[in-house]
Amino acid sequence: EDQIGGVQVELVSGEVRATGDSGGTSSGEGEINFGDSLTGTITDSSTGEYSFDGSEGQIITITVEASNPPSPDQDLEITVYDSGGDEVVSDDDSGESLGLGLFDPAIIEYTLPYDDTFLIVVDSIFDVSGDYTISLDES
């Protein structure tokens, strides 16, 4: 767990502060709106980053499904940060309960704690390059 935590911390200090202008380190970047289902690609050294505006009390579900290679080879995780770079919520393997792959992540019916522009970061725990689909929905 320390190792995973360390990786997340490095990503936060290295990329979140860039506020979207990280020079195209990933093809999975930009805004995601409620109801969107987007495809993205990460490499062993890049992450997918998506921002969205949320409101206090809003109930959201975020799912990420690895497509190439599929789970479990690409063990993805998702972490949501607020605009100050603080971690709000993260998940590694909850997607299986929604019918996704064994190690696909999902944040299911999470209630946002305050109004903010939030950042979703998609990363591979094993640093495996690959493609995925990310969905953001409001309950």
Side-chain angles (χ1 to χ4, degrees), residues 55-80:
S55 304
E56 178 179 351
Q58 211 168 13
I59 301 171
I60 66 165
T61 295
I62 304 166
T63 59
V64 176
E65 184 172 18
S67 55
N68 179 34
S71 170
D73 293 332
Q74 189 186 175
D75 186 1
L76 298 176
E77 66 177 341
I78 41 180
T79 308
V80 178

Side-chain angles (χ1 to χ4, degrees), residues 26-44:
S26 164
S27 64
E29 285 187 37
E31 288 185 61
I32 186 169
N33 297 305
F34 291 101
D36 281 358
S37 185
L38 307 175
T39 56
T41 303
I42 57 173
T43 68
D44 58 358

Side-chain angles (χ1 to χ4, degrees), residues 8 62 76-80 87 89-95 103-108 125:
Q8 289 177 343
I62 304 166
L76 298 176
E77 66 177 341
I78 41 180
T79 308
V80 178
E87 182 176 323
V89 61
S90 66
D91 184 74
D92 179 12
D93 298 334
S94 295
F103 290 160
D104 284 332
I107 293 170
I108 304 166
I125 289 178

Side-chain angles (χ1 to χ4, degrees), residues 100-116:
L100 302 178
L102 187 63
F103 290 160
D104 284 332
I107 293 170
I108 304 166
E109 294 187 355
Y110 176 77
T111 303
L112 293 175
Y114 35 79
D115 295 359
D116 205 348

